[in-house]
Amino acid sequence: MNEVPNILWLEEIRKEDIPSVGGKGASLGEMASIGLPVPKAFVVTAQAFRRFLVATGLEDTLFQKMEQLDVENNEALEAAAGQAIASVIDAEMPQKIQDDIKAAYHTMSPEEMIVAVRSSATAEDLPDASFAGQQETYLNIKGVDDLIEAVRKCWASLYGARAIYYRSKQGFDDRSVNIAVVIQQLVHSEKAGVMFSSHPVTGEPLTIIEGSWGLGEAVVSGTVSPDNYIFDQRTEKVVDQLIANKKVEILPDGRKGTKVVEVSPSRQDAQVLSNEEVARLAMFGKIAEDHYGVPQDVEWSIIGSSLYILQSRPITTIGMANGKNAPLPTGAVQGKVLVQGQGASPGIATGKVVILMDAKDIGIVKEGDILVTRMTNPDMVPAMRKVKAIVTDEGGMTCHAAIVSRELGTPAVVGTRNGTGTLRQGQLVTVDGEKGVVYEGAVQAAPAAATAAQPVAAAAPVITATSVKVNVSLPEAAQRAAATGADGVGLLRIEHLILGLNKTPNWFIKNGKEEEFILELYNGIKTVLDAFPGKPVWVRTLDAPTDEFRNMEGGEDEPIEHNPMLGWRGIRRDLKSPEQFKMQVEAFKRLWNEGYDNMGLMFPLVGHPDEFIQAKAMLAGWGVDVEKVTLGIMIEIPSSAVLIEDFAKCGIKFASFGTNDLIQYTLAIDRNNEHLTDMYKPKHPAVLKLIDSAIRVCREYGVECSICGQAGSDPVMAEWLVDHGISSISANIDAISKIRHAVARTEQRILLEAARKNNAL
């Protein structure tokens, strides 16, 4: 694995590159790779940001100040955020990073191109947390000096009060989150907006598109109540539309920044999109959804007849309708309607109105209030977490208030136009977030008319003989992973726990803090085990290349390797660093001794049975009963696939294909090399032959054979694997459902073909 440079171009980025380019950057690269019309761009990588922190000495001081921070103390939160932001902005950016940004900017266009500078944090746009609006975007930037200033401000925004608060509440450690910055050609939109490729609450095949004049920021921020169009994918027709009164638009302002201007009267009530444009947008949304396998939240822009896709992220709110509050009961509602708008997040809530006109006044918001404001912004998220419902004057289904409300499971009504003017401070109201109505007082519903009881058929769970497991990287994701119904964890990466500490294992050894390291591992793994009681959890021992350790505290002792991917990593590192290996084993021992016998240990980058035998002997020497615990290996080097029978004879209980590395090692191709992108083929005949052969041997010896690489999240590959007799498949969290269905279809086909064959005899 080569060291990640300061700059990556859009053409060389894929979804697996989130640790380097963040959610936004990875999504742009992925969309460009499938042919969607994405404006040209490059990314200042997260590694460049981390090098900046290390070079300036900020890495230690920043995080130390946040460790004991009470994010519910608004005064302390704002003070800590202010200090952190000032520290980042005032620090000198290393000259090498500045030079690389300048070179890339001039390569993108010899003239000084006008660009958008967008933050892209490495923990954003996740399937269960959008991090909507938590970091900054700077539009209409021109010239090198202004560009570098905007990059620095994007970095600083990682430590804004709203971002620190949101990470804390989502369970993300500040140390583990980095930030990349996307530099993208600015599209001078005539009209722009946001699209949900499927309904953001129910998941129905209804594409919802919202649009207004000018830049899309007006729709995203809720500055304007946009037009709303609903396109039914089944009939391929626009089935509903709401043409809003669009009083303002956001436009570029000179050579830096944007301005809000009034829309001419003739355009305020004019329809933004034609039916043909709606259909074309819906088609692009469906392409993105099919590619990712989950519904997408897409930002778009139109100039003349040219349509551009600016961003795509997973919709995080489908199926969250029954969050904090129950839906309104059926029957006629007995109550006076005070204001109406769009139902943006379903549910019902009753409480007292608190009108918030400025985010700096969020201290007036109490638990259980009904928040009423002109529009929300990310600074209001702490208040949004407290309230029972949210009502806004402006905005639509895709604005900040709507997205965050759905993620929180809080009822919301947006685009009421006059909520702040009609409702009164302290007034008791009831909010219906599905119908988009605010009623006076506590609403009572009349009983629904009695009807004959009708049997309701519940969807049966999909059962498969092939185990469908899930990959987990962070303990915070354990509950969400378990909620998928996965049959266990096929890969728990512990290096993410260690990298989050920002200190190498050797640092803990040198400083006599081994117990601190062991407890971090123990607690992180235990969290995942507790989420999967009675189900297998395969924990992979440390696999961190030297270049990932070098920028951490204690990394000064790391060797400099020409190609870390082929270097001192995986089991080969542990075998030569017994003190480091022993700390890991101590955490495993404690868990086994406490009865977590569902935990299996998986050794990475094992190339020869001798390495497995040596590791097993070291475990035994440290008091592990190696005959009673479950030990296995990763198959990610061709030699381990070729020698799998020898491994089976040595006593492995399971083996799992790490396809990302297996493909690279087999084909001698670096998947991060833009010159070789089209040659990186997960289904290359040589790769498939190695996998097929290893599966056959594992079945012969009764060894469970699995896959945990990216290919395991591909339904087409899953079908092939089931056809070839694999025992289990471990996929990413967001892919479990589609992989389960792909496995079930394949198993049913195999059974059907066998039955037909028998009947024909």
Side-chain angles (χ1 to χ4, degrees):
M1 186 184 298
N2 295 324
E3 186 168 323
V4 178
N6 293 324
I7 300 295
L8 284 175
W9 288 94
L10 201 59
E11 294 76 14
E12 57 188 323
I13 294 170
R14 293 296 180 269
K15 59 178 178 253
E16 295 84 7
D17 297 315
I18 284 179
S20 295
V21 299
K24 203 176 276 98
S27 176
L28 285 171
E30 197 70 23
M31 288 189 297
S33 75
I34 62 174
L36 290 177
V38 178
K40 65 174 74 173
F42 65 89
V43 178
V44 182
T45 63
Q47 284 75 14
F49 169 69
R50 184 60 63 170
R51 288 169 191 135
F52 160 76
L53 291 183
V54 172
T56 56
L58 287 173
E59 195 174 36
D60 294 326
T61 56
L62 271 179
F63 301 131
Q64 286 170 2
K65 291 177 181 177
M66 293 181 197
E67 282 175 355
Q68 305 301 321
L69 179 63
D70 177 9
V71 296
E72 296 295 351
N73 183 331
N74 194 56
E75 204 171 292
L77 176 62
E78 290 290 346
Q83 291 174 6
I85 289 171
S87 297
V88 174
I89 289 178
D90 293 342
E92 182 67 24
M93 183 187 296
Q95 191 61 47
K96 176 66 166 65
I97 298 177
Q98 292 190 49
D99 291 343
D100 287 349
I101 293 172
K102 291 176 186 177
Y105 180 58
H106 290 308
T107 299
M108 192 157 67
S109 173
E111 304 296 324
E112 288 193 329
M113 177 181 283
I114 299 173
V115 295
V117 182
R118 305 177 187 273
S119 302
S120 182
T122 57
E124 72 177 359
D125 297 349
L126 303 173
D128 68 337
S130 71
F131 282 68
Q134 296 308 306
Q135 282 78 46
E136 296 296 343
T137 287
Y138 297 93
L139 304 177
N140 194 38
I141 301 298
K142 183 178 181 181
V144 168
D145 292 341
D146 286 347
L147 172 58
I148 288 176
E149 179 191 12
V151 170
R152 193 193 306 274
K153 287 181 177 178
C154 284
W155 285 352
S157 72
L158 190 62
Y159 305 109
R162 67 195 186 208
I164 296 170
Y165 183 91
Y166 193 86
R167 284 197 296 272
S168 172
K169 292 303 178 182
Q170 289 288 346
F172 285 84
D173 178 17
D174 287 299
R175 291 178 182 272
S176 66
V177 179
N178 289 319
I179 190 168
V181 181
V182 177
I183 316 297
Q184 186 177 36
Q185 178 185 5
L186 181 71
V187 176
H188 289 266
S189 313
E190 295 172 359
K191 43 194 172 184
V194 179
M195 162 174 58
F196 290 141
S197 64
S198 292
H199 195 286
V201 176
T202 66
E204 292 177 274
L206 298 172
T207 301
I208 297 177
I209 301 172
E210 295 193 328
S212 191
W213 306 116
L215 298 177
E217 180 66 16
V219 177
V220 174
S221 66
T223 302
V224 67
S225 294
D227 285 3
N228 179 281
Y229 307 86
I230 300 179
F231 182 88
D232 192 325
Q233 298 167 18
R234 295 159 292 197
T235 62
E236 298 187 348
K237 291 181 179 177
V238 178
V239 294
D240 195 11
Q241 62 183 33
L242 171 67
I243 308 306
N245 177 256
K246 302 163 286 290
K247 290 185 173 63
V248 297
E249 61 184 325
I250 295 179
L251 299 174
D253 185 13
R255 58 175 283 148
K256 186 177 183 181
T258 59
K259 59 185 176 182
V260 178
V261 300
E262 288 189 12
V263 173
S264 62
S266 63
R267 290 193 302 144
Q268 285 187 9
D269 294 306
Q271 183 170 327
V272 171
L273 295 174
S274 67
N275 284 354
E276 291 75 19
E277 288 172 325
V278 170
R280 192 173 169 212
L281 279 167
M283 177 189 70
F284 284 147
K286 191 66 171 65
I287 290 171
E289 177 175 317
D290 288 346
H291 178 70
Y292 284 106
V294 292
Q296 294 291 296
D297 170 352
V298 179
E299 293 182 26
W300 56 268
S301 170
I302 294 177
I303 305 177
S305 60
S306 299
L307 190 156
Y308 296 94
I309 300 299
L310 307 179
Q311 187 176 332
S312 183
R313 62 169 74 87
I315 295 176
T316 63
T317 52
I318 291 175
M320 295 177 68
N322 297 320
K324 302 177 186 175
N325 305 287
L328 277 166
T330 57
V333 174
Q334 305 297 315
K336 177 184 176 183
V337 175
L338 298 176
V339 294
Q340 289 183 280
Q342 280 189 270
S345 180
I348 178 173
T350 298
K352 292 182 178 180
V353 168
V354 58
I355 298 175
L356 187 64
M357 302 307 291
D358 194 310
K360 67 178 173 45
D361 298 323
I362 62 173
I364 68 173
V365 179
K366 303 294 187 293
E367 292 283 345
D369 283 342
I370 304 295
L371 173 63
V372 180
T373 184
R374 191 172 73 82
M375 70 183 83
T376 67
N377 62 48
D379 291 318
M380 294 183 182
V381 170
M384 294 171 75
R385 282 187 167 275
K386 295 179 180 179
V387 300
K388 294 177 73 174
I390 295 167
V391 180
T392 70
D393 291 350
E394 304 291 348
M397 285 285 286
T398 58
C399 71
H400 178 268
I403 292 173
V404 174
S405 295
R406 288 192 294 268
E407 187 174 326
L408 295 173
T410 300
V413 178
V414 300
T416 63
R417 299 180 185 272
N418 59 351
T420 56
T422 303
L423 302 177
R424 305 186 311 275
Q425 290 282 12
Q427 183 179 15
L428 186 69
V429 299
T430 297
V431 177
D432 180 353
E434 183 171 359
K435 294 186 176 71
V437 178
V438 181
Y439 300 95
E440 184 177 39
V443 165
Q444 298 294 323
T451 57
Q454 297 293 328
V456 178
V462 179
I463 307 297
T464 58
T466 307
S467 294
V468 178
K469 299 177 182 176
V470 63
N471 300 329
V472 178
S473 295
L474 297 167
E476 294 87 348
Q479 290 299 328
R480 185 166 61 89
T484 65
D487 298 320
V489 176
L491 171 63
L492 172 57
R493 305 176 179 91
I494 67 168
E495 55 268 14
H496 289 268
L497 298 174
I498 296 168
L499 292 173
L501 296 170
N502 206 36
K503 297 180 179 69
T504 66
N506 199 44
W507 182 92
F508 290 92
I509 295 168
K510 278 189 171 183
N511 289 276
K513 295 184 180 292
E514 292 91 341
E515 183 63 18
E516 185 178 325
F517 179 93
I518 292 165
L519 282 176
E520 186 75 18
L521 275 189
Y522 168 87
N523 289 326
I525 298 169
K526 185 177 184 296
T527 298
V528 179
L529 287 166
D530 287 340
F532 288 86
K535 295 182 178 181
V537 174
W538 291 349
V539 180
R540 187 175 71 183
T541 56
L542 184 61
D543 184 19
T546 52
D547 56 333
E548 292 183 9
F549 272 164
R550 195 172 303 119
N551 291 327
M552 298 165 64
E553 197 168 345
E556 59 276 0
D557 298 328
E558 291 294 307
I560 297 176
E561 298 180 313
H562 177 65
N563 189 344
M565 182 181 170
L566 300 177
W568 196 41
R569 51 175 290 212
I571 193 64
R572 56 183 68 161
R573 183 185 187 112
D574 279 344
L575 295 179
K576 292 188 176 182
S577 308
E579 288 180 305
Q580 172 184 291
F581 192 22
K582 188 176 182 180
M583 286 196 299
Q584 298 173 62
V585 173
E586 179 58 33
F588 306 145
K589 272 176 59 182
R590 294 181 188 182
L591 291 162
W592 279 320
N593 290 340
E594 289 181 20
Y596 289 102
D597 54 5
N598 57 321
M599 181 181 73
L601 211 58
M602 182 158 58
F603 300 125
L605 219 73
V606 182
H608 192 282
D610 287 350
E611 293 169 333
F612 174 75
I613 293 169
Q614 186 180 348
K616 189 175 177 181
M618 292 171 78
L619 262 68
W622 292 321
V624 175
D625 188 342
V626 293
E627 300 308 320
K628 289 186 177 180
V629 298
T630 305
L631 303 178
I633 63 165
M634 294 280 290
I635 302 177
E636 42 196 343
I637 306 177
S639 62
S640 56
V642 172
L643 297 175
I644 189 63
E645 184 171 9
D646 295 325
F647 281 104
K649 290 176 180 178
C650 290
I652 63 170
K653 302 289 180 60
F654 67 89
S656 185
F657 296 106
T659 52
N660 297 351
D661 281 353
L662 183 62
I663 296 162
Q664 294 182 93
Y665 289 136
T666 302
L667 304 181
I669 287 174
D670 176 2
R671 63 181 173 146
N672 295 319
N673 187 326
E674 70 274 19
H675 303 297
L676 305 174
T677 301
D678 60 337
M679 300 175 69
Y680 180 82
K681 297 179 179 178
K683 299 180 183 69
H684 189 285
V687 176
L688 295 181
K689 191 169 184 179
L690 284 172
I691 293 174
D692 176 62
S693 173
I695 290 173
R696 290 175 184 273
V697 172
C698 286
R699 289 177 65 84
E700 182 183 345
Y701 281 85
V703 171
E704 182 175 352
C705 190
S706 186
I707 184 170
C708 58
Q710 187 62 34
S713 297
D714 176 2
V716 176
M717 186 65 175
E719 292 176 7
W720 184 90
L721 290 163
V722 173
D723 264 330
H724 288 254
I726 202 160
S727 312
S728 65
I729 294 175
S730 192
N732 298 332
I733 295 173
D734 60 342
I736 293 298
S737 178
K738 66 180 180 181
I739 295 301
R740 176 81 74 183
H741 283 86
V743 169
R745 284 195 306 270
T746 308
E747 290 180 345
Q748 290 163 4
R749 175 178 53 76
I750 292 170
L751 290 172
L752 183 59
E753 289 174 352
R756 286 172 175 167
K757 186 176 181 180
N758 289 336
N759 289 335
L761 295 176

